[in-house]
Amino acid sequence: MASLEDAVVDQIRTAARRVSSSYVRFGIGDDAAILRSPRAGRELLLTTDQIIENTHFVMGRHPARALGHKTLARGLSDIAAMGGAPLCFLLSLSLPESLGLVWLKQYIYGMFRLSKAHGVPCVGGDVARSGHFSAAITVVGDVPRGKALPRAGARPGDLLFVSGSLGGSALGLLRLLEGSRARGAAVERHLFPEPRLALGRLLREKLKATAAMDLSDGLSTDLARLALASKVKAEVDSAAIPVFLGASGEQALHGGEEYELLFTVRPGVRVPALMGGVRLSYIGRILPGRGVWVRTPRGVERLEPRGFQHFRR
Amino acid sequence: MASLEDAVVDQIRTAARRVSSSYVRFGIGDDAAILRSPRAGRELLLTTDQIIENTHFVMGRHPARALGHKTLARGLSDIAAMGGAPLCFLLSLSLPESLGLVWLKQYIYGMFRLSKAHGVPCVGGDVARSGHFSAAITVVGDVPRGKALPRAGARPGDLLFVSGSLGGSALGLLRLLEGSRARGAAVERHLFPEPRLALGRLLREKLKATAAMDLSDGLSTDLARLALASKVKAEVDSAAIPVFLGASGEQALHGGEEYELLFTVRPGVRVPALMGGVRLSYIGRILPGRGVWVRTPRGVERLEPRGFQHFRR
């Protein structure tokens, strides 16, 4: 009888065959995958992320299909934040023996539905036994040479924007952990985040965004990273933050796993309210100085990073 | 006070800065790393591997420095088996809170000593909390277009070779688990395998090897994979197998984690006994048919794959 490991590898191999790409010369099945070089004038993007049981999700609360989706979505979101196009991905899974093939099939289904939707094939991986479930994903992408959207490019005078609305993922997670049976919009938002790939490319091509990053750990934490990398001060207008319907201000400011794009543009750039089907909101500006500040009716105060950080929860 | 996660990221960032590469445009610190395209006429290699506590090693028996070395060595070995050159790597770590920074510093030291020795920088990663230690590594390499050494290229008539000697890693693991204090050659062999990068390139350039793979799961298991991929039969001469001093025949045939190269060449190719400082041994030949067979004084019998396989130990 085949081992669980073999069965999972078979499932992945079959699912991977359904997604083709002209970049892939050889996918799963050798010591390494072979990928054609990007087209002339482009350079490579590489990003890696993990989804770990009890750190990023709770078995029994988070459906397998959603976890498969999110494993890949996290990596694709990083490529989106660079203004790039994803080419392929590699997957490492560590599986407890207790985990059944039914669960794993759902996990793989969720991942490869997204893989197919974006034409991003799986070209390799590693499946091993472990005490609990974890997945590590590496996504390879490309971008025109010298055009990747950095975190460090924001300059004083730039205007600060965010895509979509914030707080929905934190609200959805709360509902999920409370055991809510109803699958409302917030829970969907938490389970199936949509990587903003089309938007990322438009930010680079049309808006010439000066800096961009994806919101994985919460606005307060990620904006602090952008400001630190760019050596600038960011001032957010609290009234301007687009809050997900039903979410609190706290959830919008600090809730993680939004996978929306935070970006800056030079003053004078005309930013449409809707781009690639996604809402864009002006939320503040970049100034000389350091740190993140928030303007409220009470005045301007420091915005402490209180988003998701491992070992600190 | 900084979290363990932050401290580890700082350590990795510092270690990564000491290894430079003209391929890397931007390493750690943004949503994704940016890598220049390979030189004209080359294509990319991508491989991913894991090292998981209690699956691949035992905490307290395997020194941290050796685990750091092996995490990267596994990935480099895959690139060597393709005849390629490694360009950079990405690292995902999941860490139990109980693990101290002293252990992690040793782990990082072991990894980056190898990284520096081969000029292969770390360009990104992800560090997260978990119930036990695991690492996933992705190595990016390149190779002249169409020249990668495949598993599937062996043809009837080809001669079968292996580098180094076999069984040492299995013997070393046994000694380590028995609690041996003496650090003999076999234990060193198990803890610090040397990826055969120079040899892999020579196999491609000088010997025009028809097929190659690295021995990670044991000769019997990996040779079966090569024969299956190439749709041929492999016949090993038991007397010809180069056995590590002190190792048993069983350990040489089935012991995993050798990271030596198994390869085939067309008949008539002159294979030197020593190449790039590594011993090469003729161990058998490729025939029409299927499966792996071993020739002993008693005759020819099937060699069952009994190397390391997850979920089957």
Side-chain angles (χ1 to χ4, degrees), chain B residues 32-211:
Chain B
I34 308 175
L35 199 69
R36 287 184 217 282
S37 269
R39 281 174 283 146
R42 297 180 77 88
E43 51 196 3
L44 286 165
L45 300 172
L46 294 163
T47 178
T48 195
D49 267 303
Q50 299 178 94
I51 294 241
I52 303 168
E53 187 177 348
N54 296 331
T55 298
H56 299 100
F57 75 95
V58 181
M59 197 68 83
R61 293 285 183 191
H62 286 82
R65 199 155 58 84
L67 292 171
H69 174 96
K70 203 183 276 189
T71 304
L72 180 55
R74 280 167 68 90
L76 294 179
S77 180
D78 283 326
I79 300 295
M82 302 295 282
L87 302 180
C88 65
F89 72 95
L90 297 99
L91 176 69
S92 278
L93 290 177
S94 60
L95 310 175
E97 264 185 293
S98 59
L99 210 60
L101 192 56
V102 172
W103 191 94
L104 284 160
K105 278 182 176 173
Q106 283 292 309
Y107 178 85
I108 292 165
Y109 175 81
M111 174 173 291
F112 282 87
R113 202 175 55 157
L114 188 64
S115 157
K116 199 168 169 58
H118 291 284
V120 182
C122 176
V123 299
D126 187 55
V127 180
R129 174 171 65 167
S130 174
H132 64 184
F133 180 89
S134 76
I137 197 154
T138 299
V139 180
V140 182
D142 73 354
V143 68
R145 191 185 301 147
K147 299 292 186 193
L149 301 176
R151 282 187 191 180
R155 284 170 286 170
D158 283 1
L159 306 179
L160 183 64
F161 287 81
V162 73
S163 67
S165 59
L166 305 181
S169 182
L171 175 64
L173 175 60
L174 194 69
R175 295 220 168 124
L176 205 63
L177 295 180
E178 284 170 355
S180 165
R181 285 272 141 211
R183 274 293 151 76
V187 172
E188 281 300 303
R189 166 86 184 161
H190 174 72
L191 294 179
F192 294 98
E194 206 44 63
R196 300 300 191 196
L197 283 161
L199 179 63
R201 273 169 275 187
L202 290 169
L203 296 184
R204 171 172 58 74
E205 291 171 1
K206 307 289 181 199
L207 302 188
K208 315 284 183 203
T210 50

Side-chain angles (χ1 to χ4, degrees), chain A residues 108-129:
Chain A
I108 292 165
Y109 175 82
M111 175 174 289
F112 282 86
R113 202 175 53 157
L114 189 63
S115 158
K116 199 167 168 59
H118 290 284
V120 182
C122 177
V123 298
D126 187 57
V127 180
R129 173 170 67 164

Side-chain angles (χ1 to χ4, degrees), chain A residues 21 53 103 114 137 140 160-161 164 169 171 210 228-229 241 248-249 263 267 279-280 283 306:
Chain A
S21 160
E53 187 178 347
W103 192 94
L114 189 63
I137 196 155
V140 182
L160 182 65
F161 286 80
S169 183
L171 175 64
T210 51
L228 183 68
I241 291 171
S248 67
F263 64 96
R279 171 183 172 188
L280 301 183
I283 60 165
R306 288 198 282 121

